[in-house]
Amino acid sequence: QVQLVESGGGLVQAGGSLRLSCVASGSIASINYMGWYRQAPGKQRELVATVISGGSTNYADSVKGRFTISRDNPKNTVYLQMNSLKPEDTAVYYCNANAKLVGPFQFGMEFWGKGTLVTVSS
C-alpha cells in the first residue's frame, strides 16, 4: 500500500512561516499528483494547493501569493511553504496523493495522510 506522512505543523504567530512536508512511501509505481487540503473547525475540508508531476500548480484564492507548493518527484515528497500566515489559516492540513501501485492495475488511487495541525495566533 501507500502511506503518506506529514510533518512541519505547529504553532506560529501571525505573519510567520511554516514549511509542511509530506513523504509518500510503499508499493508506488508512479504518482500522478500530490496536494494539500485543510480543514478548520466548523468548516468543510478545502483544497489548498496541488501539483502534478510536470510541475503545474494550482492554488486556492485564499493562499495565492503566500503559499508555495513544490514536489520532489524522485523522493515522492511534496512541500507547502506557508508565508505571511494569518489566524484564518489555522487548520489541520492533509496531504493527498493519486498514485499507481506496483502490480497489474494501471489506474491511480487516492491516498490521504493523517494530517498535521497548523495553529496561527494573533
Side-chain angles (χ1 to χ4, degrees), residues 7-65:
S7 62
L11 175 64
V12 65
Q13 292 184 335
S17 299
L18 285 174
R19 188 192 190 208
L20 305 183
S21 299
C22 174
V23 180
S25 62
S27 55
I28 302 170
S30 62
I31 295 178
N32 297 317
Y33 59 80
M34 300 185 76
W36 292 93
Y37 288 71
R38 69 184 182 186
Q39 187 167 21
K43 297 183 178 180
Q44 298 188 67
R45 185 176 298 188
E46 64 175 349
L47 186 146
V48 177
T50 59
V51 60
I52 64 174
S53 296
S56 297
T57 58
N58 189 34
Y59 296 91
D61 289 340
S62 60
V63 306
K64 287 181 179 178

Side-chain angles (χ1 to χ4, degrees), residues 85-99:
L85 283 163
K86 305 175 181 179
E88 48 264 46
D89 294 318
T90 296
V92 176
Y93 285 71
Y94 297 91
C95 180
N96 167 248
N98 183 277

Side-chain angles (χ1 to χ4, degrees), residues 57-77:
T57 58
N58 189 34
Y59 296 91
D61 289 340
S62 60
V63 306
K64 287 181 179 178
R66 300 188 298 118
F67 291 9
T68 302
I69 189 170
S70 60
R71 178 178 170 182
D72 187 333
N73 291 332
K75 296 182 179 180
N76 292 331
T77 301

